[in-house]
Amino acid sequence: MPSIFTRIIRGEIPSHRVYEDPAVVAFLDIAPLSRGHVLVVPVEEREQLHELSAESAAALGRALPIVARAVLAATGANAYNILQNNGALAHQAVPHVHFHIIPKYEAGLGLGIEWSATAIDAPAAAELAARIRERIGE
Ligand code: 5GP
């Protein structure tokens, strides 16, 4: 079953498209958190970011600033959040990788962030960083 975003990319479901290249499509979010809330989606259908091919990931990296510049220019916003959720626990509702570009016009509107920072434990952090370094490239 194609994802709802694949169906949008194919033009089977209408959307307000703002950008496309061979690997990436961007369109307005149907339920925007703020004016100009855009979704940037790889044509490659993968559920989570780490599953993407290097080609798709590179295309997204190229497209994101291009689309963000256009959103800022068109809306007059000069602050924005990029949000990318992976997994239902992390608030992902649509199982096809997507980046949100969410303009921020004033405090309290747009994306709300609860940032429950904790203190880092230095010995545990050194051990964890070493473990992650060992897994890079898998
Ligand atoms: P997630 O929580 O998965 O990161 O966000 C999914 C986003 O997709 C939501 O902001 C939601 O409003 C948007 N969305 C879901 N279905 C559609 C649709 O059919 N069209 C558009 N344009 N956006 C959609």
Side-chain angles (χ1 to χ4, degrees):
M1 263 277 277
S3 76
I4 192 157
F5 289 166
T6 292
R7 298 189 64 207
I8 287 173
I9 289 166
R10 290 178 183 166
E12 297 166 4
I13 292 175
S15 71
H16 297 281
R17 197 171 286 218
V18 301
Y19 172 86
E20 67 183 296
D21 66 36
V24 177
V25 172
F27 46 86
L28 296 183
D29 194 294
I30 201 168
L33 290 184
S34 65
R35 182 170 162 268
H37 181 169
V38 163
L39 300 174
V40 182
V41 182
V43 173
E44 181 183 31
E45 187 179 319
R46 292 288 180 272
E47 188 164 335
Q48 299 194 4
L49 182 76
H50 63 278
E51 298 168 339
L52 285 175
S53 66
E55 292 72 24
S56 264
L60 280 164
R62 182 179 174 281
L64 277 164
I66 294 172
V67 180
R69 274 194 292 275
V71 168
L72 295 179
T75 62
N78 51 33
Y80 62 103
N81 295 100
I82 300 285
L83 176 68
Q84 203 279 312
N85 300 324
N86 297 277
L89 188 61
H91 210 284
Q92 184 178 15
V94 176
H96 183 153
V97 172
H98 51 283
F99 285 76
H100 299 255
I101 299 176
I102 308 168
K104 191 85 174 176
Y105 299 99
E106 53 183 287
L109 296 180
L111 179 69
I113 299 178
E114 190 185 309
W115 193 274
S116 308
T118 61
I120 196 165
D121 175 273
E127 195 257 337
L128 176 59
R131 283 174 59 180
I132 294 171
R133 280 195 301 273
E134 284 169 14
R135 308 300 293 263
I136 292 290
E138 283 186 4

